[in-house]
Amino acid sequence: MTTSSQDEISPVQNQEKKNRPAKTTRSKAVEFLENHANEETSFTYEEEKAVLRRIDKRVLLLLLWAYFFQQLDKSTLGYVSIFGISEDAHLVGKQYSWLGSILYLAQLVMQPLVALILVKLPSGKVLASAIFLWGSALTIMAACTDFGSLLGLRFVLGSFESFIAPCCVAITQMWWRRSEQTLRTSYWSAMNGVTAIVGSLVTYGLGHVHSHTLYRYQTIFMFCGLLTVVYSFLVFWLMPDSPMEANCLSDRERVIATERLRANQMGISTQVWRWDHVKEVALDLKTWIWFIATIAISIASGGISTFGSLIVKSFGFSSFQSILFNIPFGVIQVIAILITGYLATMTQRKGLVIAGVSVLPTIGTVLMLTVPRKQKGVLLFGYYLVSTLAAITPLLYAWSAQNTAGETKKKCTSGMVFIAMCAGNVIGPLLYSIEDAPLYRTGLIANLAMFVTVGAVCGFTPFYLMILNKKHEKRRLELGKTGPVADMSMLGKDQMKNTKAVEVEDIRDQKLSVEEDNGLHDMTDLKNEDFVYFLMGPIEYYRSMPSRNLAAIIINALNLWLKAPEASIIQISKIMHTRSTRVVNGEARVVNGEEAG
């Protein structure tokens, strides 16, 4: 009887331990939850909703304005382009183009160091330090009056600004479920458009200030730089480093904020650099898909952001009119980013959304290439269609982040994406030249090719992710697990509420101990068989539900008069989940892989 009590599933457990990669790194989340093992870690939908609201009010708000100031500071060169910086600083040939490109060249060079720092150091402090340093660099840039000094300070500015986007992505991965990340990424990316609006208005006002000692570009540099420095102190004070260390949350809220991220299957924080993750990044096809798509859209974005005001001016408008006409450009960017973020979240088909969005700037570019310069309204319409390109970059950020797991791999993958972004923004302005005015044909034709490339690459990517999901499903079956699984990190609000309402259903059924749960350990997406690639969340959810509902309904029905304690119900549901017969792809199986008969 003793032997029998060990039951028939022990071989499967042994096989799983044998085949699973060793977890050599303990995350902070594991240690935190183990320290709270004696406390109640389950939580209701309402509790989680309240914690999410607290996180949004603190962390998201700080990210929004950090991204705003970064975009404002690097865009100052575009704003001052129509106020005579080329004449005041004696710029000739492609020197102005190089001032635009050098910032992204600095960011490109810095990305490996940024990835290492973000793994080793607390993200909140890294973000605040970067904001202070780039704000200081922009303020000092006001003293520059020639090409050499401007080039040097733009390089310094770019070096410190290289931290902002990787920090925002890392913090988004650390605080929000995968189903929540797309909209949050869209929110802070939408600050690009807000910057275009506010920056245009600020520049319009400061451009009317005349000084006998300062050029107008120097006034603008100093004003924006000092504002950024002041904001950095606010981030130092208010930004927490992780959910486990957030003083703005109560102890119970920190447990919920950490526990809710298990379903991401991405790990949370280790501060340990792993070279095997670096190798996997280099060999992972997904890395190069994100790289190609990002560099293509960034080439187009880099040219437009640097030469946008000059392009509008070439339509026949004055300097101040060009500034004002950039305000709708920013408004359209904000609207496009938020709408596409919402669509991608609701449909959970980012590839299709990105491919669709890429059509709009393609049409806009064709109009700018073919319409005569006397038709200013049509040219402006084409220019505003091109502004929708801003919606593609945040979707790529979110898509790459949601499909990557492992602390070092997440940072390195983000690094590769941002290297592509920087390289594209280096190349983009160099495809334009002041001598090409007023048509700028070379740059616009290059942009057209890039928009087509982005649409094609992103249309292919979902098919590859589907293949990876099938491989993980096969691996789970080999380990005696359920093949199709619910990706709990991608549940919508209604689905999450329904799941929480039945305590013994999915999350309670499958909830593993802290040590057993791959989602809390430093495992990469390719090594973690429980990781589900972001493709069609709702379909995967409903596909996985039928075999689980019956057990949950039976337990709930029996408990109507038994009134068992919650801990006992959870334990019973776990046992039933382990022993129950499943129908997977039409074939009856039990956990140990034997046929049910």
Side-chain angles (χ1 to χ4, degrees), residues 423-445:
N425 278 283
V426 169
I427 297 168
L430 296 178
L431 298 176
Y432 290 81
S433 176
I434 296 173
E435 283 81 6
D436 293 337
L439 299 179
Y440 297 102
R441 289 189 62 84
T442 303
L444 291 175
I445 290 172

mmCIF file with all atom_site columns, all heavy atoms in Angstrom, residues 423-445:
data_model
loop_
_atom_site.group_PDB
_atom_site.id
_atom_site.type_symbol
_atom_site.label_atom_id
_atom_site.label_alt_id
_atom_site.label_comp_id
_atom_site.label_asym_id
_atom_site.label_entity_id
_atom_site.label_seq_id
_atom_site.pdbx_PDB_ins_code
_atom_site.Cartn_x
_atom_site.Cartn_y
_atom_site.Cartn_z
_atom_site.occupancy
_atom_site.B_iso_or_equiv
_atom_site.pdbx_formal_charge
_atom_site.auth_seq_id
_atom_site.auth_comp_id
_atom_site.auth_asym_id
_atom_site.auth_atom_id
_atom_site.pdbx_PDB_model_num
ATOM 1   N N   . ALA A 1 423 ? 20.175 52.675 -35.035 1.00 0.00 ? 423 ALA A N   1
ATOM 2   C CA  . ALA A 1 423 ? 20.794 52.586 -36.361 1.00 0.00 ? 423 ALA A CA  1
ATOM 3   C C   . ALA A 1 423 ? 19.893 53.203 -37.415 1.00 0.00 ? 423 ALA A C   1
ATOM 4   O O   . ALA A 1 423 ? 20.353 53.936 -38.305 1.00 0.00 ? 423 ALA A O   1
ATOM 5   C CB  . ALA A 1 423 ? 21.096 51.126 -36.696 1.00 0.00 ? 423 ALA A CB  1
ATOM 6   N N   . GLY A 1 424 ? 18.598 52.926 -37.332 1.00 0.00 ? 424 GLY A N   1
ATOM 7   C CA  . GLY A 1 424 ? 17.659 53.506 -38.276 1.00 0.00 ? 424 GLY A CA  1
ATOM 8   C C   . GLY A 1 424 ? 17.603 55.020 -38.187 1.00 0.00 ? 424 GLY A C   1
ATOM 9   O O   . GLY A 1 424 ? 17.552 55.716 -39.204 1.00 0.00 ? 424 GLY A O   1
ATOM 10  N N   . ASN A 1 425 ? 17.646 55.531 -36.963 1.00 0.00 ? 425 ASN A N   1
ATOM 11  C CA  . ASN A 1 425 ? 17.603 56.982 -36.781 1.00 0.00 ? 425 ASN A CA  1
ATOM 12  C C   . ASN A 1 425 ? 18.925 57.652 -37.148 1.00 0.00 ? 425 ASN A C   1
ATOM 13  O O   . ASN A 1 425 ? 18.957 58.862 -37.389 1.00 0.00 ? 425 ASN A O   1
ATOM 14  C CB  . ASN A 1 425 ? 17.226 57.313 -35.339 1.00 0.00 ? 425 ASN A CB  1
ATOM 15  C CG  . ASN A 1 425 ? 15.730 57.243 -35.109 1.00 0.00 ? 425 ASN A CG  1
ATOM 16  O OD1 . ASN A 1 425 ? 14.989 58.141 -35.483 1.00 0.00 ? 425 ASN A OD1 1
ATOM 17  N ND2 . ASN A 1 425 ? 15.282 56.146 -34.501 1.00 0.00 ? 425 ASN A ND2 1
ATOM 18  N N   . VAL A 1 426 ? 20.022 56.881 -37.158 1.00 0.00 ? 426 VAL A N   1
ATOM 19  C CA  . VAL A 1 426 ? 21.289 57.410 -37.681 1.00 0.00 ? 426 VAL A CA  1
ATOM 20  C C   . VAL A 1 426 ? 21.215 57.504 -39.204 1.00 0.00 ? 426 VAL A C   1
ATOM 21  O O   . VAL A 1 426 ? 21.584 58.512 -39.813 1.00 0.00 ? 426 VAL A O   1
ATOM 22  C CB  . VAL A 1 426 ? 22.479 56.516 -37.265 1.00 0.00 ? 426 VAL A CB  1
ATOM 23  C CG1 . VAL A 1 426 ? 23.738 56.920 -38.019 1.00 0.00 ? 426 VAL A CG1 1
ATOM 24  C CG2 . VAL A 1 426 ? 22.725 56.623 -35.764 1.00 0.00 ? 426 VAL A CG2 1
ATOM 25  N N   . ILE A 1 427 ? 20.710 56.443 -39.818 1.00 0.00 ? 427 ILE A N   1
ATOM 26  C CA  . ILE A 1 427 ? 20.654 56.382 -41.281 1.00 0.00 ? 427 ILE A CA  1
ATOM 27  C C   . ILE A 1 427 ? 19.623 57.360 -41.840 1.00 0.00 ? 427 ILE A C   1
ATOM 28  O O   . ILE A 1 427 ? 19.874 58.033 -42.851 1.00 0.00 ? 427 ILE A O   1
ATOM 29  C CB  . ILE A 1 427 ? 20.329 54.942 -41.736 1.00 0.00 ? 427 ILE A CB  1
ATOM 30  C CG1 . ILE A 1 427 ? 21.442 53.978 -41.298 1.00 0.00 ? 427 ILE A CG1 1
ATOM 31  C CG2 . ILE A 1 427 ? 20.133 54.873 -43.246 1.00 0.00 ? 427 ILE A CG2 1
ATOM 32  C CD1 . ILE A 1 427 ? 21.071 52.513 -41.442 1.00 0.00 ? 427 ILE A CD1 1
ATOM 33  N N   . GLY A 1 428 ? 18.462 57.435 -41.188 1.00 0.00 ? 428 GLY A N   1
ATOM 34  C CA  . GLY A 1 428 ? 17.345 58.222 -41.699 1.00 0.00 ? 428 GLY A CA  1
ATOM 35  C C   . GLY A 1 428 ? 17.679 59.657 -42.077 1.00 0.00 ? 428 GLY A C   1
ATOM 36  O O   . GLY A 1 428 ? 17.460 60.067 -43.236 1.00 0.00 ? 428 GLY A O   1
ATOM 37  N N   . PRO A 1 429 ? 18.231 60.479 -41.155 1.00 0.00 ? 429 PRO A N   1
ATOM 38  C CA  . PRO A 1 429 ? 18.545 61.868 -41.512 1.00 0.00 ? 429 PRO A CA  1
ATOM 39  C C   . PRO A 1 429 ? 19.587 61.997 -42.608 1.00 0.00 ? 429 PRO A C   1
ATOM 40  O O   . PRO A 1 429 ? 19.591 62.978 -43.358 1.00 0.00 ? 429 PRO A O   1
ATOM 41  C CB  . PRO A 1 429 ? 19.065 62.438 -40.178 1.00 0.00 ? 429 PRO A CB  1
ATOM 42  C CG  . PRO A 1 429 ? 18.482 61.573 -39.123 1.00 0.00 ? 429 PRO A CG  1
ATOM 43  C CD  . PRO A 1 429 ? 18.428 60.206 -39.722 1.00 0.00 ? 429 PRO A CD  1
ATOM 44  N N   . LEU A 1 430 ? 20.487 60.994 -42.708 1.00 0.00 ? 430 LEU A N   1
ATOM 45  C CA  . LEU A 1 430 ? 21.540 61.076 -43.719 1.00 0.00 ? 430 LEU A CA  1
ATOM 46  C C   . LEU A 1 430 ? 21.004 60.829 -45.126 1.00 0.00 ? 430 LEU A C   1
ATOM 47  O O   . LEU A 1 430 ? 21.686 61.112 -46.115 1.00 0.00 ? 430 LEU A O   1
ATOM 48  C CB  . LEU A 1 430 ? 22.643 60.055 -43.404 1.00 0.00 ? 430 LEU A CB  1
ATOM 49  C CG  . LEU A 1 430 ? 23.388 60.294 -42.080 1.00 0.00 ? 430 LEU A CG  1
ATOM 50  C CD1 . LEU A 1 430 ? 24.415 59.205 -41.847 1.00 0.00 ? 430 LEU A CD1 1
ATOM 51  C CD2 . LEU A 1 430 ? 24.064 61.663 -42.085 1.00 0.00 ? 430 LEU A CD2 1
ATOM 52  N N   . LEU A 1 431 ? 19.788 60.299 -45.242 1.00 0.00 ? 431 LEU A N   1
ATOM 53  C CA  . LEU A 1 431 ? 19.162 60.121 -46.543 1.00 0.00 ? 431 LEU A CA  1
ATOM 54  C C   . LEU A 1 431 ? 18.537 61.414 -47.050 1.00 0.00 ? 431 LEU A C   1
ATOM 55  O O   . LEU A 1 431 ? 18.111 61.488 -48.204 1.00 0.00 ? 431 LEU A O   1
ATOM 56  C CB  . LEU A 1 431 ? 18.090 59.018 -46.470 1.00 0.00 ? 431 LEU A CB  1
ATOM 57  C CG  . LEU A 1 431 ? 18.608 57.620 -46.094 1.00 0.00 ? 431 LEU A CG  1
ATOM 58  C CD1 . LEU A 1 431 ? 17.453 56.638 -45.959 1.00 0.00 ? 431 LEU A CD1 1
ATOM 59  C CD2 . LEU A 1 431 ? 19.602 57.115 -47.132 1.00 0.00 ? 431 LEU A CD2 1
ATOM 60  N N   . TYR A 1 432 ? 18.483 62.400 -46.169 1.00 0.00 ? 432 TYR A N   1
ATOM 61  C CA  . TYR A 1 432 ? 17.991 63.727 -46.543 1.00 0.00 ? 432 TYR A CA  1
ATOM 62  C C   . TYR A 1 432 ? 19.165 64.704 -46.546 1.00 0.00 ? 432 TYR A C   1
ATOM 63  O O   . TYR A 1 432 ? 20.169 64.492 -45.864 1.00 0.00 ? 432 TYR A O   1
ATOM 64  C CB  . TYR A 1 432 ? 16.950 64.235 -45.534 1.00 0.00 ? 432 TYR A CB  1
ATOM 65  C CG  . TYR A 1 432 ? 15.627 63.512 -45.572 1.00 0.00 ? 432 TYR A CG  1
ATOM 66  C CD1 . TYR A 1 432 ? 15.467 62.278 -44.932 1.00 0.00 ? 432 TYR A CD1 1
ATOM 67  C CD2 . TYR A 1 432 ? 14.526 64.068 -46.205 1.00 0.00 ? 432 TYR A CD2 1
ATOM 68  C CE1 . TYR A 1 432 ? 14.249 61.620 -44.949 1.00 0.00 ? 432 TYR A CE1 1
ATOM 69  C CE2 . TYR A 1 432 ? 13.295 63.420 -46.217 1.00 0.00 ? 432 TYR A CE2 1
ATOM 70  C CZ  . TYR A 1 432 ? 13.165 62.193 -45.589 1.00 0.00 ? 432 TYR A CZ  1
ATOM 71  O OH  . TYR A 1 432 ? 11.962 61.543 -45.602 1.00 0.00 ? 432 TYR A OH  1
ATOM 72  N N   . SER A 1 433 ? 19.018 65.757 -47.283 1.00 0.00 ? 433 SER A N   1
ATOM 73  C CA  . SER A 1 433 ? 20.031 66.813 -47.299 1.00 0.00 ? 433 SER A CA  1
ATOM 74  C C   . SER A 1 433 ? 19.334 68.139 -47.583 1.00 0.00 ? 433 SER A C   1
ATOM 75  O O   . SER A 1 433 ? 18.332 68.190 -48.319 1.00 0.00 ? 433 SER A O   1
ATOM 76  C CB  . SER A 1 433 ? 21.098 66.534 -48.371 1.00 0.00 ? 433 SER A CB  1
ATOM 77  O OG  . SER A 1 433 ? 22.018 67.617 -48.434 1.00 0.00 ? 433 SER A OG  1
ATOM 78  N N   . ILE A 1 434 ? 19.866 69.205 -46.991 1.00 0.00 ? 434 ILE A N   1
ATOM 79  C CA  . ILE A 1 434 ? 19.297 70.534 -47.224 1.00 0.00 ? 434 ILE A CA  1
ATOM 80  C C   . ILE A 1 434 ? 19.336 70.874 -48.712 1.00 0.00 ? 434 ILE A C   1
ATOM 81  O O   . ILE A 1 434 ? 18.455 71.557 -49.241 1.00 0.00 ? 434 ILE A O   1
ATOM 82  C CB  . ILE A 1 434 ? 20.064 71.589 -46.393 1.00 0.00 ? 434 ILE A CB  1
ATOM 83  C CG1 . ILE A 1 434 ? 19.870 71.313 -44.904 1.00 0.00 ? 434 ILE A CG1 1
ATOM 84  C CG2 . ILE A 1 434 ? 19.599 72.999 -46.728 1.00 0.00 ? 434 ILE A CG2 1
ATOM 85  C CD1 . ILE A 1 434 ? 20.703 72.190 -43.989 1.00 0.00 ? 434 ILE A CD1 1
ATOM 86  N N   . GLU A 1 435 ? 20.369 70.359 -49.421 1.00 0.00 ? 435 GLU A N   1
ATOM 87  C CA  . GLU A 1 435 ? 20.496 70.629 -50.848 1.00 0.00 ? 435 GLU A CA  1
ATOM 88  C C   . GLU A 1 435 ? 19.372 69.986 -51.667 1.00 0.00 ? 435 GLU A C   1
ATOM 89  O O   . GLU A 1 435 ? 19.135 70.362 -52.817 1.00 0.00 ? 435 GLU A O   1
ATOM 90  C CB  . GLU A 1 435 ? 21.850 70.132 -51.378 1.00 0.00 ? 435 GLU A CB  1
ATOM 91  C CG  . GLU A 1 435 ? 23.026 71.034 -51.035 1.00 0.00 ? 435 GLU A CG  1
ATOM 92  C CD  . GLU A 1 435 ? 23.534 70.804 -49.619 1.00 0.00 ? 435 GLU A CD  1
ATOM 93  O OE1 . GLU A 1 435 ? 23.042 69.860 -48.948 1.00 0.00 ? 435 GLU A OE1 1
ATOM 94  O OE2 . GLU A 1 435 ? 24.408 71.561 -49.166 1.00 0.00 ? 435 GLU A OE2 1
ATOM 95  N N   . ASP A 1 436 ? 18.667 68.965 -51.080 1.00 0.00 ? 436 ASP A N   1
ATOM 96  C CA  . ASP A 1 436 ? 17.588 68.279 -51.804 1.00 0.00 ? 436 ASP A CA  1
ATOM 97  C C   . ASP A 1 436 ? 16.272 69.051 -51.773 1.00 0.00 ? 436 ASP A C   1
ATOM 98  O O   . ASP A 1 436 ? 15.298 68.628 -52.400 1.00 0.00 ? 436 ASP A O   1
ATOM 99  C CB  . ASP A 1 436 ? 17.352 66.884 -51.212 1.00 0.00 ? 436 ASP A CB  1
ATOM 100 C CG  . ASP A 1 436 ? 18.521 65.951 -51.455 1.00 0.00 ? 436 ASP A CG  1
ATOM 101 O OD1 . ASP A 1 436 ? 19.286 66.206 -52.398 1.00 0.00 ? 436 ASP A OD1 1
ATOM 102 O OD2 . ASP A 1 436 ? 18.676 64.970 -50.699 1.00 0.00 ? 436 ASP A OD2 1
ATOM 103 N N   . ALA A 1 437 ? 16.234 70.156 -50.997 1.00 0.00 ? 437 ALA A N   1
ATOM 104 C CA  . ALA A 1 437 ? 15.002 70.954 -50.918 1.00 0.00 ? 437 ALA A CA  1
ATOM 105 C C   . ALA A 1 437 ? 14.654 71.500 -52.306 1.00 0.00 ? 437 ALA A C   1
ATOM 106 O O   . ALA A 1 437 ? 15.547 71.781 -53.109 1.00 0.00 ? 437 ALA A O   1
ATOM 107 C CB  . ALA A 1 437 ? 15.202 72.084 -49.909 1.00 0.00 ? 437 ALA A CB  1
ATOM 108 N N   . PRO A 1 438 ? 13.376 71.648 -52.612 1.00 0.00 ? 438 PRO A N   1
ATOM 109 C CA  . PRO A 1 438 ? 12.220 71.434 -51.737 1.00 0.00 ? 438 PRO A CA  1
ATOM 110 C C   . PRO A 1 438 ? 11.582 70.050 -51.856 1.00 0.00 ? 438 PRO A C   1
ATOM 111 O O   . PRO A 1 438 ? 10.623 69.760 -51.158 1.00 0.00 ? 438 PRO A O   1
ATOM 112 C CB  . PRO A 1 438 ? 11.235 72.497 -52.232 1.00 0.00 ? 438 PRO A CB  1
ATOM 113 C CG  . PRO A 1 438 ? 11.484 72.544 -53.708 1.00 0.00 ? 438 PRO A CG  1
ATOM 114 C CD  . PRO A 1 438 ? 12.966 72.306 -53.883 1.00 0.00 ? 438 PRO A CD  1
ATOM 115 N N   . LEU A 1 439 ? 12.075 69.173 -52.759 1.00 0.00 ? 439 LEU A N   1
ATOM 116 C CA  . LEU A 1 439 ? 11.387 67.907 -53.016 1.00 0.00 ? 439 LEU A CA  1
ATOM 117 C C   . LEU A 1 439 ? 11.800 66.779 -52.064 1.00 0.00 ? 439 LEU A C   1
ATOM 118 O O   . LEU A 1 439 ? 10.989 65.901 -51.763 1.00 0.00 ? 439 LEU A O   1
ATOM 119 C CB  . LEU A 1 439 ? 11.620 67.469 -54.464 1.00 0.00 ? 439 LEU A CB  1
ATOM 120 C CG  . LEU A 1 439 ? 11.109 68.439 -55.540 1.00 0.00 ? 439 LEU A CG  1
ATOM 121 C CD1 . LEU A 1 439 ? 11.412 67.894 -56.935 1.00 0.00 ? 439 LEU A CD1 1
ATOM 122 C CD2 . LEU A 1 439 ? 9.601  68.669 -55.381 1.00 0.00 ? 439 LEU A CD2 1
ATOM 123 N N   . TYR A 1 440 ? 13.061 66.752 -51.655 1.00 0.00 ? 440 TYR A N   1
ATOM 124 C CA  . TYR A 1 440 ? 13.578 65.713 -50.751 1.00 0.00 ? 440 TYR A CA  1
ATOM 125 C C   . TYR A 1 440 ? 13.235 64.304 -51.274 1.00 0.00 ? 440 TYR A C   1
ATOM 126 O O   . TYR A 1 440 ? 12.816 63.417 -50.505 1.00 0.00 ? 440 TYR A O   1
ATOM 127 C CB  . TYR A 1 440 ? 13.024 65.895 -49.334 1.00 0.00 ? 440 TYR A CB  1
ATOM 128 C CG  . TYR A 1 440 ? 13.433 67.198 -48.688 1.00 0.00 ? 440 TYR A CG  1
ATOM 129 C CD1 . TYR A 1 440 ? 12.543 68.265 -48.614 1.00 0.00 ? 440 TYR A CD1 1
ATOM 130 C CD2 . TYR A 1 440 ? 14.698 67.368 -48.159 1.00 0.00 ? 440 TYR A CD2 1
ATOM 131 C CE1 . TYR A 1 440 ? 12.902 69.465 -48.029 1.00 0.00 ? 440 TYR A CE1 1
ATOM 132 C CE2 . TYR A 1 440 ? 15.086 68.567 -47.559 1.00 0.00 ? 440 TYR A CE2 1
ATOM 133 C CZ  . TYR A 1 440 ? 14.182 69.612 -47.499 1.00 0.00 ? 440 TYR A CZ  1
ATOM 134 O OH  . TYR A 1 440 ? 14.552 70.790 -46.908 1.00 0.00 ? 440 TYR A OH  1
ATOM 135 N N   . ARG A 1 441 ? 13.423 64.077 -52.549 1.00 0.00 ? 441 ARG A N   1
ATOM 136 C CA  . ARG A 1 441 ? 12.993 62.827 -53.177 1.00 0.00 ? 441 ARG A CA  1
ATOM 137 C C   . ARG A 1 441 ? 13.753 61.604 -52.649 1.00 0.00 ? 441 ARG A C   1
ATOM 138 O O   . ARG A 1 441 ? 13.156 60.556 -52.406 1.00 0.00 ? 441 ARG A O   1
ATOM 139 C CB  . ARG A 1 441 ? 13.150 62.909 -54.703 1.00 0.00 ? 441 ARG A CB  1
ATOM 140 C CG  . ARG A 1 441 ? 12.146 63.842 -55.382 1.00 0.00 ? 441 ARG A CG  1
ATOM 141 C CD  . ARG A 1 441 ? 12.212 63.694 -56.904 1.00 0.00 ? 441 ARG A CD  1
ATOM 142 N NE  . ARG A 1 441 ? 11.855 62.354 -57.340 1.00 0.00 ? 441 ARG A NE  1
ATOM 143 C CZ  . ARG A 1 441 ? 10.605 61.940 -57.524 1.00 0.00 ? 441 ARG A CZ  1
ATOM 144 N NH1 . ARG A 1 441 ? 9.595  62.762 -57.285 1.00 0.00 ? 441 ARG A NH1 1
ATOM 145 N NH2 . ARG A 1 441 ? 10.360 60.719 -57.941 1.00 0.00 ? 441 ARG A NH2 1
ATOM 146 N N   . THR A 1 442 ? 15.065 61.746 -52.475 1.00 0.00 ? 442 THR A N   1
ATOM 147 C CA  . THR A 1 442 ? 15.860 60.588 -52.024 1.00 0.00 ? 442 THR A CA  1
ATOM 148 C C   . THR A 1 442 ? 15.353 60.057 -50.691 1.00 0.00 ? 442 THR A C   1
ATOM 149 O O   . THR A 1 442 ? 15.136 58.853 -50.516 1.00 0.00 ? 442 THR A O   1
ATOM 150 C CB  . THR A 1 442 ? 17.340 60.980 -51.902 1.00 0.00 ? 442 THR A CB  1
ATOM 151 O OG1 . THR A 1 442 ? 17.811 61.476 -53.149 1.00 0.00 ? 442 THR A OG1 1
ATOM 152 C CG2 . THR A 1 442 ? 18.171 59.772 -51.473 1.00 0.00 ? 442 THR A CG2 1
ATOM 153 N N   . GLY A 1 443 ? 15.153 60.953 -49.746 1.00 0.00 ? 443 GLY A N   1
ATOM 154 C CA  . GLY A 1 443 ? 14.691 60.542 -48.426 1.00 0.00 ? 443 GLY A CA  1
ATOM 155 C C   . GLY A 1 443 ? 13.293 59.962 -48.455 1.00 0.00 ? 443 GLY A C   1
ATOM 156 O O   . GLY A 1 443 ? 13.002 58.943 -47.804 1.00 0.00 ? 443 GLY A O   1
ATOM 157 N N   . LEU A 1 444 ? 12.394 60.570 -49.200 1.00 0.00 ? 444 LEU A N   1
ATOM 158 C CA  . LEU A 1 444 ? 11.007 60.104 -49.249 1.00 0.00 ? 444 LEU A CA  1
ATOM 159 C C   . LEU A 1 444 ? 10.879 58.754 -49.946 1.00 0.00 ? 444 LEU A C   1
ATOM 160 O O   . LEU A 1 444 ? 10.085 57.899 -49.524 1.00 0.00 ? 444 LEU A O   1
ATOM 161 C CB  . LEU A 1 444 ? 10.136 61.148 -49.950 1.00 0.00 ? 444 LEU A CB  1
ATOM 162 C CG  . LEU A 1 444 ? 9.924  62.463 -49.173 1.00 0.00 ? 444 LEU A CG  1
ATOM 163 C CD1 . LEU A 1 444 ? 9.156  63.470 -50.021 1.00 0.00 ? 444 LEU A CD1 1
ATOM 164 C CD2 . LEU A 1 444 ? 9.199  62.210 -47.861 1.00 0.00 ? 444 LEU A CD2 1
ATOM 165 N N   . ILE A 1 445 ? 11.658 58.527 -50.995 1.00 0.00 ? 445 ILE A N   1
ATOM 166 C CA  . ILE A 1 445 ? 11.629 57.219 -51.668 1.00 0.00 ? 445 ILE A CA  1
ATOM 167 C C   . ILE A 1 445 ? 12.146 56.132 -50.725 1.00 0.00 ? 445 ILE A C   1
ATOM 168 O O   . ILE A 1 445 ? 11.603 55.013 -50.676 1.00 0.00 ? 445 ILE A O   1
ATOM 169 C CB  . ILE A 1 445 ? 12.464 57.263 -52.964 1.00 0.00 ? 445 ILE A CB  1
ATOM 170 C CG1 . ILE A 1 445 ? 11.756 58.139 -54.009 1.00 0.00 ? 445 ILE A CG1 1
ATOM 171 C CG2 . ILE A 1 445 ? 12.684 55.854 -53.516 1.00 0.00 ? 445 ILE A CG2 1
ATOM 172 C CD1 . ILE A 1 445 ? 12.582 58.400 -55.265 1.00 0.00 ? 445 ILE A CD1 1
#
